[in-house]
Amino acid sequence: MPLDHFDLALLDAVQRDAGTSQLDLGSQVNLSSAAVNRRLKKMTEDGVIRGTVAQVDAQKLGYTLTVIAQVEFENERLDLLDAMKKTFLACPQVQQCFYVAGECDFVLILLVRDMEQYTQLTRELFFQSNNVKRFKTLVSMSNVKTGVFVPTLD
Amino acid sequence: MPLDHFDLALLDAVQRDAGTSQLDLGSQVNLSSAAVNRRLKKMTEDGVIRGTVAQVDAQKLGYTLTVIAQVEFENERLDLLDAMKKTFLACPQVQQCFYVAGECDFVLILLVRDMEQYTQLTRELFFQSNNVKRFKTLVSMSNVKTGVFVPTLD
DNA sequence: TCTGAAAATGGACCTTT
DNA sequence: AAAGGTCCATTTTCAGA
C-alpha cells in the first residue's frame, strides 16, 4: 500500500474539502477523473481514508464551551480503566479522549453548553466511578485550531 | 435560524457519514430527498455545516505518535500570543490548539512521526520565540476517542 | 411532492510503459 | 501486470412546476 505523491496530494485536498468533485480534483493534481476515482476508492478500501464527515459549528448548536479535563485515577486496574474508556466513549459531550502516560491518566476534550452542564457531567463521569483521585479543568478561551487534519507533505 | 428535530437528525447523520445520499438520509429521518436537499443547503448557507472533510488514518501515513503539549509563557503580551497562535496555525503537525485560562496558556495536540520529530518541533515552536517559560509533554498511549463530532440530541 | 435536467460517480475497455 | 485515459451507464443532486 505505497502512497505516491498523487495520493498524498489527493489526501491533502479531500481533507480540506471532501465535496470537491473528482473532475476538479483531477485538474488540481493533473490526473483524469477516472484515475482520481480509482485512487480514492483504493485508499478507502485500504483504510487510509476512513470516511467523510460533515463539520458542524458547535457554537451554532449551543455548545459554547470547550473544556479540557485531565483525570487522574486512584486505581489503574485494567478493567477499571476499560470501564472508564467505555463511559467516555458513550458520552456525546466527550469529543475526544486520550489515555496518556505519566502523571494524569486521561485527557478529555469536552463540548458543553455551559459550566452547569460541565459540573453535572463531572459528577456523572468522574464521581460515579469512585475511582477518580483528582481532576483538573482547563477552559478554552479560544479554539485556535481544531480539526482532524493529518499532514500529507512533511 | 431555528433547528428542528429533522435538522438535528440530519446533522447527526452527516457527521457520521457525509457520503450518505440524500435519498438514504431521507428514509433515515422520514423526509423526501428534496426536503433533505433544501435543509442541508440552508444549514450550509447558515454556516451550521461548515463543510465536509475526509478522515485520514494518521497511523497509515506514518504519524504514529499523538502528543499533548501544555505550554506556559513568560510574557503574556497580546502581540506575542498572537505571534504564537500564527506559528501554531501554520505548523501542520499541530493538529489542534487551544488557548486556555489558568496555569498553562496553550494546549496543543500534535501528530508526529516519532519522538525525534517532536523534539525537533519543540525547538522550532517553543524555543525559537524565547518566550516559553516551560512546557509539559503528555504522550498518548491510546487515542480512545477522536473526531470533531458535535452532540445533536442532548 | 413530483419531475427532469445537469452533474458526479464509477465501471468497461483500450492504450501505454 | 500496473496505471492512465476515454467513453458510457447509473446514480445523485438540485431547481422549478
Side-chain angles (χ1 to χ4, degrees):
Chain A
M1 184 208 50
L3 300 169
D4 62 18
H5 80 99
F6 284 118
D7 291 318
L8 294 174
L10 287 173
L11 288 177
D12 191 88
V14 295
Q15 282 193 100
R16 292 178 205 283
D17 182 2
T20 314
S21 77
Q22 296 171 354
L23 201 69
D24 282 356
L25 289 172
S27 51
Q28 279 178 44
V29 303
N30 292 318
L31 229 46
S32 72
S33 75
V36 171
N37 186 285
R38 275 189 293 264
R39 281 167 181 268
L40 290 179
K41 180 176 155 66
K42 177 155 194 348
M43 288 194 284
T44 303
E45 284 166 354
D46 292 348
V48 176
I49 296 175
R50 288 213 306 261
T52 69
V53 298
Q55 285 190 322
V56 168
D57 188 319
Q59 302 281 330
K60 293 219 164 77
L61 285 204
Y63 286 89
T64 53
L65 262 187
T66 303
V67 175
I68 300 164
Q70 305 186 347
V71 190
E72 196 177 337
F73 286 93
E74 205 73 67
N75 187 324
E76 303 205 17
R77 259 171 48 208
L78 223 63
D79 57 329
L80 293 175
L81 290 180
D82 261 14
M84 287 313 293
K85 282 189 189 185
K86 273 186 193 152
T87 307
F88 294 149
L89 273 171
C91 176
Q93 279 76 29
V94 176
Q95 192 184 53
Q96 297 172 53
C97 172
F98 303 92
Y99 178 56
V100 297
E103 63 178 42
C104 86
D105 296 317
F106 281 105
V107 175
L108 305 178
I109 312 269
L110 294 112
L111 243 43
V112 289
R113 299 189 172 282
D114 45 43
M115 260 303 166
E116 197 186 320
Q117 188 181 24
Y118 179 64
T119 50
Q120 175 57 28
L121 272 175
T122 58
R123 278 191 216 109
E124 293 171 21
L125 296 174
F126 303 154
F127 295 127
Q128 208 83 307
S129 78
N130 249 2
N131 188 27
V132 170
K133 189 192 289 182
R134 59 166 154 261
F135 70 95
K136 194 187 295 184
T137 298
L138 303 173
V139 177
S140 172
M141 297 171 62
S142 158
N143 296 3
V144 178
K145 191 174 188 177
T146 57
V148 289
F149 193 92
V150 178
T152 46
L153 310 169
D154 345 50
Chain B
M1 184 208 50
L3 300 169
D4 63 17
H5 81 98
F6 284 117
D7 291 319
L8 294 173
L10 286 173
L11 288 177
D12 191 88
V14 294
Q15 281 192 99
R16 293 178 203 284
D17 182 1
T20 314
S21 79
Q22 296 172 353
L23 202 69
D24 282 356
L25 289 172
S27 51
Q28 280 179 43
V29 303
N30 292 317
L31 230 45
S32 72
S33 76
V36 171
N37 185 281
R38 273 191 295 270
R39 283 168 181 268
L40 290 179
K41 181 177 155 66
K42 178 156 193 347
M43 289 195 284
T44 302
E45 283 167 354
D46 292 348
V48 176
I49 297 174
R50 287 212 308 260
T52 68
V53 298
Q55 287 189 322
V56 168
D57 188 319
Q59 304 280 331
K60 294 218 164 77
L61 285 205
Y63 286 89
T64 52
L65 262 189
T66 302
V67 175
I68 300 164
Q70 304 184 348
V71 189
E72 196 177 338
F73 287 92
E74 204 74 68
N75 186 324
E76 303 206 17
R77 256 170 50 206
L78 223 63
D79 58 328
L80 292 176
L81 291 180
D82 260 17
M84 286 314 292
K85 283 190 189 185
K86 271 185 195 153
T87 307
F88 294 150
L89 272 171
C91 176
Q93 280 77 30
V94 176
Q95 193 184 53
Q96 296 172 54
C97 173
F98 303 93
Y99 177 55
V100 297
E103 64 177 40
C104 84
D105 297 318
F106 281 105
V107 175
L108 306 178
I109 312 269
L110 295 111
L111 242 47
V112 289
R113 299 190 174 281
D114 46 42
M115 259 306 167
E116 195 185 320
Q117 188 180 26
Y118 178 65
T119 50
Q120 175 58 28
L121 272 175
T122 60
R123 278 189 217 111
E124 293 171 21
L125 296 173
F126 304 155
F127 294 127
Q128 208 82 307
S129 78
N130 247 2
N131 188 28
V132 170
K133 190 192 287 182
R134 60 166 153 260
F135 70 94
K136 196 188 291 184
T137 299
L138 303 173
V139 177
S140 172
M141 295 170 64
S142 158
N143 297 3
V144 178
K145 192 175 187 175
T146 57
V148 289
F149 194 92
V150 178
T152 47
L153 311 168
D154 344 53

